[in-house]
Amino acid sequence: MAVKTDDSRLEDRWRGILSVHARTMCEIDRVLHPYGLGASDFEVLDILAAESLREGDQCRVQNLVGRVHLSQSALSRLIGRLEKDGLVERSVCAEDRRGVWVALTRKGRDLHTEVLPRQRAVLARTLADPVG
């Protein structure tokens, strides 16, 4: 039997994290697919819902980049799809023409509210601590 080294324990831990992440993302994708959403779509809606508590509140796209695990270009394409589906609205920042604001629409907020319990149920199942 091989002795576990610090490196091999670290690798095992890392692979375990990746495995839980992959299982969780796949399950979220499966559960949200009937609503026309994927895990990353929902993540953007969820962050926007948390950042903009009132209808019409906006968030800078740049503030999403570090919180969503997508490249800036992939996030921009995702927001474009959400906008096309009527779930968010984009606007250019008046003070800084390079900046872009994004806000949930009523349709986006309603869809987020509808699917939130399903996404959270997946998190509860896949991230629950193993019993004893």
Side-chain angles (χ1 to χ4, degrees):
M1 173 183 245
V3 175
K4 286 276 189 180
T5 65
D6 286 343
D7 276 353
S8 65
R9 283 191 290 275
L10 190 59
E11 289 170 13
D12 288 348
R13 188 168 175 210
W14 174 242
R15 288 188 181 108
I17 290 167
L18 291 176
S19 177
V20 169
H21 178 266
R23 282 193 317 272
T24 303
M25 293 296 279
C26 287
E27 182 64 11
I28 291 170
D29 280 338
R30 187 187 67 73
V31 167
L32 298 185
H33 180 76
Y35 300 90
L37 296 174
S40 295
D41 302 324
F42 177 82
E43 196 64 26
V44 169
L45 296 180
D46 198 39
I47 291 169
L48 289 174
E51 293 285 317
S52 54
L53 300 176
R54 296 180 314 261
E55 193 165 342
D57 284 352
Q58 298 177 317
C59 179
R60 280 187 73 134
V61 170
Q62 191 60 36
N63 295 344
L64 296 173
V65 171
R67 299 177 67 192
V68 177
H69 302 288
L70 297 172
S71 68
Q72 189 163 353
S73 62
L75 176 61
S76 183
R77 288 189 304 274
L78 186 148
I79 290 171
R81 285 193 315 273
L82 295 176
E83 184 177 38
K84 183 179 168 215
D85 292 342
L87 302 175
V88 302
E89 294 174 335
R90 282 189 284 193
S91 59
V92 174
C93 179
E95 299 82 36
D96 176 4
R97 304 283 304 162
R98 294 170 298 168
V100 177
W101 293 101
V102 64
L104 282 175
T105 62
R106 169 55 40 204
K107 180 180 176 183
R109 194 171 295 281
D110 290 346
L111 182 59
H112 174 264
T113 299
E114 183 178 356
V115 301
L116 178 65
R118 289 156 178 81
Q119 189 263 3
R120 294 302 197 260
V122 170
L123 294 182
R125 280 193 313 273
T126 61
L127 301 178
D129 288 332
V131 177

